[in-house]
Each structure stands twice: as structure tokens, then as C-alpha cells.
Amino acid sequence: MAEELKILQKIFDMMEYGYGALSQYPKAEKFALATDMKHSMDTILERAIEAQKKYYKKTTLQEFDVEVAKLKAYLRLSKNLGFLPMKKYEIWSEKVVEIGKMLGGWLKSVNSQKPT
């Protein structure tokens, strides 16, 4: 349970950083790539809360994992297109990778539980 609360805090920290970085995107991208990235971050938060509350977590955690992978791809694309400076890319990516690692541990723990 404590691990689940830690991941929520990491997601909040990542979202605060991400929303700040997205405000500096070019105007043309604010309703394109930036919107997709905001949606992905919002979905990550929603899946984390759902997984925390649901009895059967496996499918929700897998959907959570997919959203983390999407956000990583959007970050890489943003850096490659020059919308995100290298330093911000590194900081934001580090936060997303950390969330991914915590999610991996959570998935591993759920997968190791015996079905009832």
C-alpha cells in the first residue's frame, strides 16, 4: 500500500513538471502533441487511482503500463522535433522512467499472487 501511495506522489510530481514544460511548446503544438501528452498524463493518474482501488488490478496495471510507454514515445518525439530542450527532456524522462520502474514492481507483485 505504501508503494502505491509513493507512485501516486511520483505521478503528481511528474505531471506538475510536465504541465510546466508543455506551456513552453510552440503555439501550433498546444492543441496537437501537447494535448496528447496531457491526455496521456491524465490517463496515467486515472489508471494509478483505479488500480489502487480495484480488487482485480492486472488489466488496469497493464493499461497503465501502455500509457507510460505512450508518454515515453511522445517525450522522445518532442525532443527530436525540438519542442523540448535536452535538459527538460532528461528530467521529465527520468521521472517517467522512475514511474515505469515502480509500476513494473507493482505488476510483478500482482502477477506473483496466486489466483483465488
Side-chain angles (χ1 to χ4, degrees):
M1 188 68 172
E3 192 66 27
E4 295 163 12
L5 292 176
K6 283 182 191 172
I7 199 168
L8 269 180
Q9 186 58 52
K10 294 288 181 187
I11 292 169
F12 282 124
D13 293 346
M14 182 273 296
M15 289 179 77
E16 287 174 11
Y17 187 84
Y19 270 80
L22 287 173
S23 68
Q24 297 171 349
Y25 272 46
K27 202 172 189 176
E29 291 302 323
K30 289 204 176 184
F31 297 103
L33 185 59
T35 301
D36 291 339
M37 293 174 79
K38 285 179 183 175
H39 178 72
S40 188
M41 289 191 294
D42 293 344
T43 304
I44 287 171
L45 178 63
E46 291 168 9
R47 295 301 169 265
I49 292 170
E50 288 171 10
Q52 193 179 24
K53 298 291 182 187
K54 286 184 175 178
Y55 183 77
Y56 295 106
K57 304 174 185 300
K58 193 173 179 179
T59 304
T60 306
L61 288 175
Q62 288 169 337
E63 292 169 359
F64 182 176
D65 194 34
V66 168
E67 284 302 322
V68 169
K70 284 182 190 176
L71 185 57
K72 285 179 184 175
Y74 288 141
L75 282 169
R76 192 173 321 117
L77 181 63
S78 292
K79 181 197 55 122
N80 291 345
L81 293 174
F83 302 149
L84 196 59
M86 181 57 91
K87 186 69 179 169
K88 286 191 176 190
Y89 168 75
E90 288 173 355
I91 292 169
W92 197 352
S93 291
E94 189 176 296
K95 292 176 183 290
V96 174
V97 166
E98 190 173 351
I99 290 166
K101 286 179 182 175
M102 293 174 84
L103 173 60
W106 195 0
L107 263 168
K108 192 175 179 181
S109 121
V110 167
N111 286 335
S112 67
Q113 293 174 350
K114 292 181 180 179
T116 55

